[in-house]
Amino acid sequence: AAEVAAAEPPPAAPAPIEAPKPPVRAAPKPAARPAAPLRPSDGAPGPASAAAPAAPPALAAPATATPDWRAALLAWVQAHKEYPPRARLRGIEGVVTVRVTVTRDGHVTAATIEATSGAISLDEAVLRLFDNATLPAFPPAMPQPVYSETLRVGFALQ
């Protein structure tokens, strides 16, 4: 008769090697709260105040341009924009995205290129356009003292 050999269990797989775990750090403790103020009636400490915590300051509505001022600004740009002669002769066209910061009275305090047209002459023409420029003053509906607007100034040959 055939003998049935007892099956031996397979050898145990070696335990996987684990990377050492970083030490656990305790969370920083919150700053201590000041003690409850003295009650003015007898000078003895009173129970903790149940006053609600101070509300965060309200966020001011973002300053925006009125449609009338924005239309006046775009009209000003079209009236004062000059196509660089060399770019015109070479058939160079493009759009420059510029961020302009203006005071209430229309004085330009900064102009920066946000996206180039790819042609230095067109980018420089836009910066010259706003250099020491006086744009339309803010209407009463724009109470902010300073406003920044991002514009796309296009140069296209007709």
Side-chain angles (χ1 to χ4, degrees), residues 71-142:
L73 172 63
L74 296 176
W76 184 94
V77 169
Q78 286 303 318
H80 293 85
K81 174 176 73 169
E82 293 182 13
Y83 211 118
R86 294 182 106 196
R88 184 182 299 275
L89 288 172
R90 293 182 177 170
I92 297 173
E93 297 181 330
V95 177
V96 181
T97 304
V98 62
R99 183 159 187 82
V100 181
T101 303
V102 186
T103 60
R104 279 200 67 68
D105 61 359
H107 179 73
V108 175
T109 60
T112 56
I113 301 293
E114 295 284 315
T116 181
S117 64
I120 293 171
S121 60
L122 299 181
D123 296 348
E124 289 175 345
V126 170
L127 291 177
R128 277 192 309 275
L129 173 67
F130 293 108
D131 188 33
N132 291 318
T134 302
L135 305 177
F138 297 174
M142 286 178 62

Coordinates of all heavy atoms in Angstrom, one line a residue, residues 71-142:
A71 N -15.8 102.0 -19.9 CA -16.0 102.4 -21.3 C -15.1 103.6 -21.6 O -14.5 103.7 -22.7 CB -17.4 102.6 -21.6
A72 N -15.1 104.6 -20.7 CA -14.2 105.8 -20.9 C -12.8 105.4 -21.0 O -12.0 106.0 -21.8 CB -14.5 106.8 -19.8
L73 N -12.3 104.4 -20.2 CA -10.9 104.0 -20.2 C -10.6 103.3 -21.5 O -9.6 103.7 -22.2 CB -10.7 103.0 -19.1 CG -9.4 102.3 -19.0 CD1 -8.2 103.3 -18.9 CD2 -9.3 101.2 -18.0
L74 N -11.5 102.5 -22.0 CA -11.2 101.8 -23.3 C -11.2 102.8 -24.4 O -10.4 102.7 -25.4 CB -12.2 100.7 -23.5 CG -12.2 99.5 -22.5 CD1 -13.3 98.6 -22.8 CD2 -10.8 98.8 -22.6
A75 N -12.1 103.8 -24.4 CA -12.1 104.8 -25.4 C -10.8 105.6 -25.4 O -10.3 106.0 -26.4 CB -13.3 105.8 -25.2
W76 N -10.3 106.0 -24.2 CA -9.1 106.7 -24.0 C -7.9 105.9 -24.7 O -7.1 106.5 -25.4 CB -8.8 107.0 -22.6 CG -7.6 107.8 -22.3 CD1 -7.5 109.2 -22.2 CD2 -6.2 107.3 -22.3 NE1 -6.2 109.6 -22.1 CE2 -5.4 108.5 -22.1 CE3 -5.6 106.1 -22.3 CZ2 -4.0 108.4 -22.0 CZ3 -4.2 106.0 -22.2 CH2 -3.5 107.1 -22.0
V77 N -7.9 104.6 -24.4 CA -6.8 103.8 -24.9 C -6.9 103.8 -26.5 O -5.8 104.0 -27.1 CB -6.9 102.3 -24.4 CG1 -6.0 101.4 -25.1 CG2 -6.6 102.3 -22.9
Q78 N -8.0 103.6 -27.0 CA -8.2 103.6 -28.5 C -7.8 104.9 -29.1 O -7.1 105.0 -30.1 CB -9.6 103.2 -28.9 CG -9.9 101.8 -28.7 CD -9.0 100.8 -29.5 OE1 -8.6 101.1 -30.6 NE2 -8.6 99.8 -28.8
A79 N -8.1 106.0 -28.4 CA -7.8 107.4 -28.9 C -6.3 107.7 -28.8 O -5.8 108.5 -29.6 CB -8.6 108.4 -28.2
H80 N -5.6 107.1 -27.9 CA -4.2 107.5 -27.6 C -3.2 106.4 -28.1 O -2.0 106.7 -28.1 CB -4.0 107.8 -26.1 CG -4.7 109.0 -25.7 ND1 -6.0 109.0 -25.3 CD2 -4.2 110.3 -25.6 CE1 -6.3 110.3 -25.0 NE2 -5.3 111.0 -25.2
K81 N -3.6 105.2 -28.4 CA -2.8 104.1 -28.8 C -2.1 104.4 -30.2 O -2.8 104.9 -31.1 CB -3.6 102.8 -28.9 CG -2.8 101.6 -29.5 CD -3.7 100.4 -29.4 CE -4.8 100.5 -30.5 NZ -5.5 99.2 -30.7
E82 N -0.8 104.2 -30.2 CA -0.1 104.4 -31.5 C 0.6 103.1 -31.9 O 1.3 102.5 -31.2 CB 1.0 105.5 -31.3 CG 0.5 106.9 -31.0 CD 1.6 107.9 -30.9 OE1 2.7 107.7 -31.2 OE2 1.2 109.0 -30.4
Y83 N 0.3 102.8 -33.2 CA 0.9 101.5 -33.7 C 2.4 101.9 -34.0 O 2.7 102.8 -34.7 CB 0.2 101.2 -35.0 CG 0.2 99.7 -35.3 CD1 -1.0 99.0 -35.4 CD2 1.3 99.0 -35.5 CE1 -1.1 97.7 -35.7 CE2 1.3 97.6 -35.8 CZ 0.0 97.0 -35.9 OH 0.0 95.6 -36.2
P84 N 3.3 101.1 -33.5 CA 4.7 101.4 -33.8 C 5.0 101.3 -35.3 O 4.7 100.3 -35.9 CB 5.5 100.3 -33.0 CG 4.5 99.8 -32.0 CD 3.2 100.0 -32.6
P85 N 5.6 102.3 -35.9 CA 5.8 102.3 -37.4 C 6.6 101.1 -37.9 O 6.2 100.5 -38.9 CB 6.6 103.6 -37.6 CG 6.3 104.5 -36.5 CD 6.0 103.6 -35.3
R86 N 7.6 100.7 -37.1 CA 8.4 99.5 -37.6 C 7.6 98.3 -37.6 O 7.7 97.4 -38.4 CB 9.7 99.4 -36.7 CG 10.6 100.6 -36.9 CD 11.9 100.4 -36.1 NE 12.9 100.0 -37.1 CZ 14.1 99.5 -36.8 NH1 14.4 99.2 -35.5 NH2 15.0 99.2 -37.7
A87 N 6.8 98.1 -36.5 CA 5.9 96.9 -36.4 C 4.9 96.9 -37.6 O 4.6 95.9 -38.2 CB 5.2 96.9 -35.1
R88 N 4.4 98.1 -37.9 CA 3.4 98.2 -39.0 C 4.1 97.8 -40.3 O 3.5 97.1 -41.1 CB 2.9 99.7 -39.1 CG 1.8 99.8 -40.2 CD 1.3 101.3 -40.2 NE 0.7 101.8 -39.0 CZ -0.5 101.6 -38.7 NH1 -1.4 101.0 -39.5 NH2 -1.0 102.1 -37.6
L89 N 5.3 98.4 -40.6 CA 6.0 98.1 -41.8 C 6.3 96.6 -42.0 O 6.3 96.0 -43.1 CB 7.3 98.9 -41.9 CG 7.1 100.4 -42.2 CD1 8.5 101.1 -42.1 CD2 6.6 100.6 -43.6
R90 N 6.6 95.9 -40.8 CA 6.9 94.5 -40.9 C 5.7 93.6 -40.8 O 5.8 92.4 -40.8 CB 7.9 94.2 -39.7 CG 9.2 94.9 -39.9 CD 10.2 94.5 -38.8 NE 11.5 95.1 -39.1 CZ 12.4 95.2 -38.2 NH1 12.3 94.6 -37.1 NH2 13.6 95.8 -38.6
G91 N 4.5 94.2 -40.6 CA 3.3 93.4 -40.6 C 3.1 92.7 -39.2 O 2.4 91.6 -39.2
I92 N 3.7 93.2 -38.2 CA 3.6 92.6 -36.9 C 2.3 93.0 -36.2 O 1.9 94.2 -36.1 CB 4.8 93.0 -36.0 CG1 6.1 92.5 -36.6 CG2 4.6 92.5 -34.6 CD1 7.3 93.0 -35.9
E93 N 1.5 92.0 -35.8 CA 0.3 92.2 -35.0 C 0.4 91.5 -33.7 O 1.2 90.6 -33.5 CB -0.9 91.6 -35.8 CG -1.1 92.3 -37.1 CD -2.3 91.8 -37.9 OE1 -2.6 90.6 -37.7 OE2 -3.0 92.6 -38.6
G94 N -0.5 91.8 -32.8 CA -0.5 91.1 -31.5 C -1.4 91.8 -30.5 O -1.9 92.9 -30.7
V95 N -1.5 91.1 -29.3 CA -2.3 91.6 -28.2 C -1.4 91.6 -27.0 O -0.8 90.6 -26.6 CB -3.5 90.8 -27.9 CG1 -4.3 91.2 -26.7 CG2 -4.4 90.7 -29.2
V96 N -1.4 92.8 -26.3 CA -0.6 92.9 -25.0 C -1.6 93.0 -23.9 O -2.6 93.8 -23.9 CB 0.2 94.2 -25.1 CG1 1.0 94.4 -23.8 CG2 1.1 94.3 -26.3
T97 N -1.4 92.2 -22.8 CA -2.2 92.3 -21.6 C -1.4 93.1 -20.6 O -0.3 92.7 -20.3 CB -2.6 90.9 -21.1 OG1 -3.2 90.1 -22.1 CG2 -3.5 91.0 -19.9
V98 N -2.0 94.2 -20.2 CA -1.3 95.1 -19.3 C -2.2 95.4 -18.0 O -3.4 95.4 -18.1 CB -1.0 96.4 -20.0 CG1 -2.2 97.2 -20.5 CG2 -0.2 97.4 -19.1
R99 N -1.6 95.5 -16.9 CA -2.3 95.8 -15.6 C -1.9 97.3 -15.3 O -0.7 97.6 -15.2 CB -1.9 94.9 -14.5 CG -2.6 95.2 -13.2 CD -2.6 93.9 -12.3 NE -3.4 94.1 -11.2 CZ -4.7 93.9 -11.1 NH1 -5.4 93.6 -12.2 NH2 -5.4 94.0 -10.0
V100 N -2.9 98.1 -15.2 CA -2.7 99.5 -14.9 C -3.3 99.9 -13.6 O -4.4 99.5 -13.3 CB -3.4 100.4 -16.1 CG1 -3.2 101.8 -15.9 CG2 -2.9 99.9 -17.4
T101 N -2.6 100.6 -12.8 CA -3.0 101.1 -11.5 C -3.2 102.6 -11.6 O -2.3 103.3 -12.1 CB -2.0 100.8 -10.4 OG1 -1.9 99.4 -10.4 CG2 -2.6 101.2 -9.0
V102 N -4.4 103.1 -11.2 CA -4.9 104.5 -11.5 C -5.4 105.1 -10.1 O -6.1 104.4 -9.4 CB -6.0 104.5 -12.5 CG1 -6.4 105.9 -12.9 CG2 -5.7 103.7 -13.7
T103 N -5.1 106.3 -9.9 CA -5.7 107.0 -8.7 C -7.0 107.7 -9.1 O -7.4 107.7 -10.3 CB -4.7 108.1 -8.3 OG1 -4.5 109.1 -9.3 CG2 -3.4 107.5 -7.8
R104 N -7.7 108.1 -8.1 CA -9.1 108.7 -8.3 C -9.1 109.8 -9.4 O -10.0 109.9 -10.2 CB -9.6 109.4 -7.1 CG -10.2 108.4 -6.1 CD -11.1 109.2 -5.1 NE -12.3 109.7 -5.7 CZ -13.3 109.0 -6.2 NH1 -13.2 107.7 -6.2 NH2 -14.3 109.6 -6.7
D105 N -8.0 110.6 -9.5 CA -8.0 111.7 -10.4 C -7.5 111.2 -11.8 O -7.4 112.1 -12.8 CB -7.1 112.9 -10.0 CG -5.7 112.5 -9.7 OD1 -5.3 111.3 -9.9 OD2 -4.9 113.3 -9.3
G106 N -7.3 109.9 -12.0 CA -6.9 109.4 -13.3 C -5.4 109.2 -13.5 O -5.0 108.8 -14.6
H107 N -4.6 109.6 -12.6 CA -3.1 109.5 -12.7 C -2.7 108.0 -12.7 O -3.1 107.3 -11.8 CB -2.4 110.3 -11.6 CG -0.9 110.2 -11.7 ND1 -0.2 110.9 -12.7 CD2 0.0 109.5 -11.0 CE1 1.1 110.6 -12.6 NE2 1.2 109.8 -11.5
V108 N -1.9 107.6 -13.7 CA -1.4 106.2 -13.7 C -0.2 106.1 -12.8 O 0.8 106.9 -13.0 CB -1.1 105.8 -15.2 CG1 -0.4 104.4 -15.2 CG2 -2.3 105.8 -16.0
T109 N -0.3 105.2 -11.8 CA 0.9 105.1 -10.9 C 1.7 103.9 -11.3 O 2.9 103.8 -10.9 CB 0.4 104.9 -9.5 OG1 -0.5 103.8 -9.4 CG2 -0.3 106.2 -9.0
A110 N 1.2 102.9 -12.1 CA 1.9 101.8 -12.5 C 1.3 101.1 -13.7 O 0.1 101.1 -13.8 CB 2.0 100.7 -11.3
A111 N 2.1 100.6 -14.5 CA 1.7 99.8 -15.7 C 2.6 98.6 -15.9 O 3.9 98.9 -16.0 CB 1.6 100.6 -16.9
T112 N 2.2 97.4 -15.8 CA 3.0 96.2 -16.0 C 2.4 95.3 -17.0 O 1.2 95.1 -17.1 CB 3.2 95.5 -14.6 OG1 1.9 95.1 -14.1 CG2 3.9 96.3 -13.6
I113 N 3.3 94.7 -17.8 CA 2.9 93.7 -18.8 C 2.5 92.4 -18.1 O 3.4 91.8 -17.4 CB 4.0 93.5 -19.8 CG1 4.4 94.8 -20.6 CG2 3.6 92.4 -20.8 CD1 3.3 95.4 -21.4
E114 N 1.3 91.9 -18.2 CA 0.9 90.7 -17.6 C 1.1 89.5 -18.6 O 1.4 88.4 -18.2 CB -0.6 90.7 -17.3 CG -0.9 91.7 -16.2 CD -0.5 91.2 -14.8 OE1 -0.8 90.1 -14.5 OE2 0.1 92.0 -14.0
A115 N 0.9 89.8 -19.9 CA 1.2 88.8 -21.0 C 1.7 89.6 -22.2 O 1.0 90.5 -22.7 CB -0.1 88.0 -21.3
T116 N 2.8 89.2 -22.7 CA 3.4 89.8 -23.8 C 2.7 89.5 -25.1 O 2.1 88.4 -25.2 CB 4.9 89.4 -23.9 OG1 5.5 90.1 -25.0 CG2 5.1 88.0 -24.1
S117 N 2.9 90.3 -26.1 CA 2.3 90.1 -27.4 C 3.3 89.2 -28.2 O 2.9 88.6 -29.3 CB 2.2 91.4 -28.2 OG 3.5 92.0 -28.4
G118 N 4.5 89.1 -27.7 CA 5.5 88.3 -28.5 C 6.4 89.3 -29.3 O 7.4 88.8 -29.9
A119 N 6.0 90.5 -29.4 CA 6.8 91.5 -30.1 C 7.2 92.7 -29.2 O 6.3 93.3 -28.6 CB 5.9 92.1 -31.3
I120 N 8.4 92.8 -29.0 CA 8.9 93.9 -28.0 C 8.4 95.2 -28.4 O 8.0 96.0 -27.5 CB 10.5 93.9 -28.0 CG1 10.9 92.5 -27.4 CG2 11.0 95.0 -27.2 CD1 12.4 92.3 -27.5
S121 N 8.3 95.6 -29.7 CA 7.9 96.9 -30.1 C 6.4 97.2 -29.7 O 6.1 98.3 -29.3 CB 8.0 97.1 -31.6 OG 7.3 96.1 -32.3
L122 N 5.6 96.2 -29.7 CA 4.2 96.3 -29.3 C 4.1 96.5 -27.8 O 3.3 97.3 -27.3 CB 3.3 95.2 -29.8 CG 3.2 95.0 -31.3 CD1 2.3 93.8 -31.6 CD2 2.8 96.3 -32.0
D123 N 4.8 95.6 -27.1 CA 4.8 95.7 -25.6 C 5.3 97.1 -25.1 O 4.7 97.7 -24.2 CB 5.7 94.6 -25.0 CG 5.2 93.2 -25.3 OD1 4.1 93.1 -25.8 OD2 6.0 92.3 -25.0
E124 N 6.4 97.6 -25.7 CA 6.9 98.9 -25.4 C 5.9 100.0 -25.7 O 5.8 101.0 -25.0 CB 8.3 99.1 -26.0 CG 9.4 98.3 -25.4 CD 10.7 98.4 -26.2 OE1 10.7 98.9 -27.3 OE2 11.7 97.9 -25.6
A125 N 5.2 99.9 -26.8 CA 4.2 100.9 -27.2 C 3.1 101.0 -26.1 O 2.7 102.1 -25.8 CB 3.6 100.6 -28.5
V126 N 2.7 99.9 -25.6 CA 1.7 99.9 -24.5 C 2.2 100.5 -23.2 O 1.5 101.3 -22.6 CB 1.1 98.5 -24.3 CG1 0.3 98.4 -23.0 CG2 0.4 98.0 -25.5
L127 N 3.5 100.2 -22.9 CA 4.0 100.8 -21.7 C 4.2 102.3 -21.9 O 3.9 103.1 -20.9 CB 5.4 100.2 -21.3 CG 5.3 98.7 -20.8 CD1 6.7 98.2 -20.6 CD2 4.4 98.6 -19.6
R128 N 4.6 102.8 -23.1 CA 4.7 104.2 -23.3 C 3.3 104.9 -23.3 O 3.2 106.0 -22.8 CB 5.3 104.5 -24.7 CG 6.8 104.4 -24.8 CD 7.4 105.0 -26.1 NE 6.8 104.4 -27.3 CZ 7.2 103.2 -27.8 NH1 8.2 102.5 -27.3 NH2 6.6 102.8 -28.9
L129 N 2.3 104.2 -23.7 CA 0.9 104.7 -23.7 C 0.5 105.1 -22.3 O -0.1 106.2 -22.1 CB 0.0 103.6 -24.2 CG -1.5 103.9 -24.2 CD1 -1.9 105.0 -25.1 CD2 -2.3 102.6 -24.5
F130 N 0.9 104.3 -21.3 CA 0.5 104.6 -19.9 C 1.5 105.3 -19.1 O 1.3 105.7 -18.0 CB 0.1 103.3 -19.2 CG -1.1 102.7 -19.8 CD1 -1.1 101.5 -20.5 CD2 -2.4 103.3 -19.6 CE1 -2.2 100.9 -21.1 CE2 -3.5 102.7 -20.1 CZ -3.4 101.5 -20.9
D131 N 2.7 105.6 -19.7 CA 3.8 106.3 -18.9 C 3.4 107.7 -18.7 O 3.2 108.5 -19.6 CB 5.1 106.2 -19.7 CG 6.3 106.8 -19.0 OD1 6.3 106.6 -17.7 OD2 7.2 107.4 -19.6
N132 N 3.2 108.1 -17.4 CA 2.8 109.4 -17.0 C 1.5 109.9 -17.6 O 1.3 111.1 -17.8 CB 3.9 110.5 -17.3 CG 5.1 110.3 -16.4 OD1 5.0 110.0 -15.2 ND2 6.3 110.4 -17.0
A133 N 0.6 108.9 -17.9 CA -0.7 109.3 -18.5 C -1.7 109.7 -17.5 O -1.6 109.4 -16.3 CB -1.2 108.0 -19.2
T134 N -2.7 110.5 -17.9 CA -3.8 110.8 -17.1 C -5.1 110.3 -17.8 O -5.4 110.7 -18.9 CB -3.9 112.3 -16.9 OG1 -2.7 112.8 -16.3 CG2 -5.1 112.7 -16.0
L135 N -5.7 109.3 -17.2 CA -6.8 108.6 -17.7 C -8.1 109.4 -17.2 O -8.0 110.2 -16.3 CB -6.8 107.2 -17.3 CG -5.6 106.4 -17.6 CD1 -5.7 105.0 -17.1 CD2 -5.4 106.3 -19.1
P136 N -9.3 109.0 -17.6 CA -10.5 109.6 -17.0 C -10.5 109.4 -15.5 O -10.2 108.3 -15.0 CB -11.6 108.8 -17.7 CG -11.0 108.3 -19.0 CD -9.6 108.0 -18.7
A137 N -11.0 110.4 -14.8 CA -11.1 110.4 -13.4 C -12.3 109.4 -13.0 O -13.2 109.2 -13.8 CB -11.4 111.8 -12.8
F138 N -12.2 108.9 -11.8 CA -13.3 108.0 -11.3 C -14.6 108.8 -11.1 O -14.6 109.9 -10.6 CB -12.9 107.4 -10.0 CG -11.7 106.5 -9.9 CD1 -11.2 106.0 -8.8 CD2 -11.0 106.2 -11.1 CE1 -10.1 105.2 -8.7 CE2 -9.9 105.3 -11.1 CZ -9.4 104.9 -9.8
P139 N -15.7 108.2 -11.5 CA -17.0 108.8 -11.2 C -17.3 108.6 -9.7 O -16.7 107.8 -9.0 CB -18.0 108.0 -12.0 CG -17.3 106.7 -12.2 CD -15.8 106.9 -12.2
P140 N -18.3 109.3 -9.1 CA -18.6 109.2 -7.7 C -19.0 107.8 -7.3 O -18.8 107.4 -6.2 CB -19.8 110.1 -7.6 CG -19.7 111.1 -8.7 CD -19.1 110.4 -9.8
A141 N -19.5 107.0 -8.2 CA -19.8 105.6 -7.9 C -18.6 104.7 -7.6 O -18.8 103.6 -7.2 CB -20.7 105.0 -9.0
M142 N -17.4 105.2 -7.9 CA -16.2 104.5 -7.6 C -15.5 105.2 -6.4 O -14.6 106.0 -6.7 CB -15.3 104.4 -8.8 CG -15.7 103.5 -9.9 SD -14.7 103.5 -11.4 CE -13.1 102.9 -10.7

